[in-house]
Amino acid sequence: GDSVTQTEGLVTLTEGLPVMLNCTYQTIYSNPFLFWYVHYLNESPRLLLKSSTDNKRTEHQGFHATLHKSSSSFHLQKSSAQLSDSALYYCAQESGSFNKLTFGAGTRLAVCP
Amino acid sequence: NSKVIQTPRYLVKGQGQKAKMRCIPEKGHPVVFWYQQNKNNEFKFLINFQNQEVLQQIDMTEKRFSAECPSNSPCSLEIQSSEAGDSALYLCASSLLGGIEQYFGPGTRLTVL
């Protein structure tokens, strides 16, 4: 079945440093949709980025990611971390199975002053 | 910002008791999803609906959980006989028909004592 792997459970950074959160996926479908959701404590998970286009960079709110089907990856990046970026980040895929999402285990990003 | 409403926000039950939570999807969204986020912050898909019809559900949901999305009423997810392992954040999400994006509510945090 489908699966999403996020290798880092916790990433701790100093404010101003670049962010990279890893995401790889497995699916039998040739055209998966990949997503990044951000989840702040006591709030609703919120869509940050999405893509189904191979090798095209997608950007939103300073974050960006590029879907690479050749390596089954959709890593999340930001050039300069801010304190307000501290949250849980989930990579997820939707692969045509009634649109349900398969999530990775999540990466907690902690940005320190 | 998501307009998915979930009630109650917190629910405390004893083992063996019923636990019921409700979800009002965004207006105009006929597709509703339930996910469970466990203590390790891992998401698990439970069930989804299109209008009143179940699209897909996992085995666990079939056995001890019941869910419905009646016309003109909130959707609901009920655990017939709560177990300690059911303690989790239950998230409801909704989407447009054929829509890729899912919009999440803030969740119901269930604690089973």
Side-chain angles (χ1 to χ4, degrees), chain B residues 42-56:
Chain B
E42 297 163 332
F43 277 72
K44 180 193 291 184
F45 166 81
L46 297 177
I47 190 169
N48 60 349
F49 291 83
Q50 180 178 318
N51 295 313
Q52 292 81 54
E53 301 298 320
V54 175
L55 293 176
Q56 193 174 21

Side-chain angles (χ1 to χ4, degrees), chain A residues 33 35 37 39 41-47 50 88 90 94 97-106 108, chain B residues 1-2 9-10 33 35 37 40-43 45 48 55-56 89 91 98-106:
Chain A
F33 235 107
F35 306 83
Y37 279 84
H39 193 188
L41 190 62
N42 295 323
E43 295 186 12
S44 308
R46 176 168 55 85
L47 180 64
K50 65 179 188 288
L88 270 168
Y90 290 93
E94 185 278 323
S97 180
F98 295 109
N99 296 113
K100 75 174 175 70
L101 293 174
T102 300
F103 286 85
R108 183 174 296 281
Chain B
N1 289 334
S2 172
R9 292 293 304 272
Y10 300 91
F33 303 80
Y35 295 91
Q37 186 186 35
N40 296 320
N41 294 315
E42 297 163 332
F43 277 72
F45 166 81
N48 60 349
L55 293 176
Q56 193 174 21
L89 182 67
L91 289 158
I100 291 297
E101 294 186 33
Q102 295 183 22
Y103 297 84
F104 283 83

Side-chain angles (χ1 to χ4, degrees), chain A residues 18-79:
Chain A
V19 178
M20 180 158 171
L21 306 184
N22 290 316
C23 173
T24 56
Y25 65 92
Q26 285 190 311
T27 181
I28 61 172
Y29 294 95
S30 58
N31 290 307
F33 235 107
L34 270 293
F35 306 83
W36 276 101
Y37 279 84
V38 58
H39 193 188
Y40 291 96
L41 190 62
N42 295 323
E43 295 186 12
S44 308
R46 176 168 55 85
L47 180 64
L48 186 58
L49 292 170
K50 65 179 188 288
S51 180
S52 64
T53 307
D54 198 12
N55 297 318
K56 182 179 178 182
R57 176 171 161 145
T58 182
E59 298 189 41
H60 185 60
Q61 295 186 334
F63 288 90
H64 63 93
T66 303
L67 176 61
H68 292 294
K69 292 185 180 180
S70 61
S71 57
S72 299
S73 67
F74 190 57
H75 305 319
L76 181 68
Q77 298 182 69
K78 188 178 185 184
S79 59

Side-chain angles (χ1 to χ4, degrees), chain B residues 71-97:
Chain B
S71 176
N72 299 318
S73 293
C75 297
S76 64
L77 178 69
E78 185 172 33
I79 306 173
Q80 301 303 315
S81 178
S82 301
E83 300 174 356
D86 297 328
S87 295
L89 182 67
Y90 290 84
L91 289 158
C92 176
S94 70
S95 74
L96 293 168
L97 189 60

